[in-house]
Amino acid sequence: MAELVTTDTPVAPPAEGAPPIPGDVAELIRARVGERPAPSVERLFRSSLVLDRVSDPDPAHPSDRVGAAALPGADAVPVGRLGGLPALPAGTAWPEAGGRPMQLLAQLDCAALATAFRSTGPGAESWPLPAEGLLLFFHDEWLSDFTGRGCRVLHVPAGAPPRPAPVVERGAPAVPAVPVRATWALSAPSYQDQELERLFPDDFLVAFDLAQDVADRLPRPEVRLLGWCDTDTGRPEGHRPLLQIGSGALAVDWGECVNVSFWISEEDFAAGRLDQVRHGFEVA
């Protein structure tokens, strides 16, 4: 059994480079697992960006959850859009799957993302993705490839001249464009993530209960960039989620699919390589 401690136990500072943990979340962790394992749990927390529709109501109303700025708040930064047609540069082939043009799910401005990551969060962490140009997230809307190859992420340099989209007859209907803005948010691992489970090899329920308690105190958005996976999607070994989008965020019909996600290996993430990103999706 995990050691129980009182909530007035001194809270250790976060590990160097880790996002800060709100005081009540730190107290919750210590109450659940004890003082000694708590810093190891806190080191697993990650920074992320929550993407909200610009048209969401009450944009100045602060979230009642900790670990995030107002969602969506007055400080949220416009960062691009979900859906629409992409600004692919001339000479770049349109991504395809099974001979079909892939569908654009997001076009995000890298400089704006970096600004949101630094200016709406509690610290000045390093932005881990490209700092200029656009990030384009494509996927196979048929969800027919279970090997994870049904997606592409492209980085378009700033100022690259665009090329035309494929003709409609080729079967590439655009997802209706939805402008979005970003706010920094804390993200915690699920009990499904091996990184948390390995901390408690003798009692899985400790990891399960801890993850559930923390999840109740942090945002669980429809769209998240970076951070941990918020859904029951299978976790590709050695990968982390890059972008996850719930079906409720877009005017799309994915049948029984409730969310799609883009996954990047730890090695590629550290090196800034985006050419081997994997596709994930969850069916209700």
Side-chain angles (χ1 to χ4, degrees):
M1 291 292 294
E3 175 191 3
L4 294 180
V5 297
T6 60
T7 55
D8 59 354
T9 301
V11 177
E16 183 178 356
I21 310 298
D24 55 348
V25 174
E27 291 174 353
L28 183 155
I29 293 171
R30 280 158 175 75
R32 176 62 72 179
V33 306
E35 180 69 24
R36 184 173 298 176
S40 296
V41 173
E42 292 177 354
R43 290 187 185 97
L44 294 180
F45 281 65
R46 295 172 179 167
S47 293
S48 73
L49 285 174
V50 169
L51 273 55
D52 287 289
R53 303 164 70 102
V54 170
S55 58
D56 280 347
D58 299 325
H61 190 276
S63 170
D64 60 359
R65 293 171 176 237
V66 299
L71 299 178
D75 294 332
V77 177
V79 294
R81 56 179 163 78
L82 306 179
L85 289 174
L88 273 175
T92 299
W94 192 283
E96 294 187 347
R100 301 179 301 274
M102 287 190 184
Q103 195 173 55
L104 180 76
L105 289 187
Q107 177 172 297
L108 304 176
D109 183 277
C110 296
L113 291 172
T115 297
F117 192 77
R118 299 186 184 110
S119 66
T120 68
E125 297 175 79
S126 297
W127 170 241
L129 296 174
E132 57 82 30
L134 299 173
L135 287 178
L136 308 181
F137 292 82
F138 293 86
H139 88 135
D140 175 15
E141 63 178 309
W142 289 31
L143 305 174
S144 58
D145 188 346
F146 293 93
T147 67
R149 295 191 299 266
C151 73
R152 288 281 301 280
V153 177
L154 299 180
H155 175 236
V156 178
R163 55 150 288 174
V167 294
V168 174
E169 287 76 14
R170 293 189 61 191
V175 175
V178 177
V180 290
R181 54 189 171 185
T183 308
W184 183 94
L186 193 65
S187 179
S190 160
Y191 67 89
Q192 297 182 77
D193 292 302
Q194 293 183 355
E195 292 88 345
L196 179 61
E197 186 180 349
R198 289 191 189 110
L199 294 181
F200 308 100
D202 299 325
D203 194 344
F204 168 76
L205 286 179
V206 173
F208 179 87
D209 292 339
L210 174 63
Q212 296 296 97
D213 288 348
V214 171
D216 288 340
R217 292 175 174 265
L218 296 180
R220 189 183 175 94
E222 282 276 2
V223 187
R224 190 194 294 274
L225 185 75
L226 304 176
W228 292 89
C229 183
D230 295 306
T231 71
D232 292 332
T233 304
R235 275 77 164 145
E237 186 174 357
H239 287 63
R240 63 168 63 200
L242 184 59
L243 178 69
Q244 45 194 311
I245 303 177
S247 58
L250 297 170
V252 294
D253 181 9
W254 287 334
E256 295 182 347
C257 176
V258 294
N259 62 73
V260 300
S261 48
F262 297 76
W263 295 77
I264 187 170
S265 73
E266 295 288 355
E267 181 180 358
D268 286 343
F269 182 72
R273 295 188 297 262
L274 300 173
D275 59 328
Q276 297 296 321
V277 171
R278 291 174 56 90
H279 199 209
F281 49 91
E282 181 186 4
V283 177

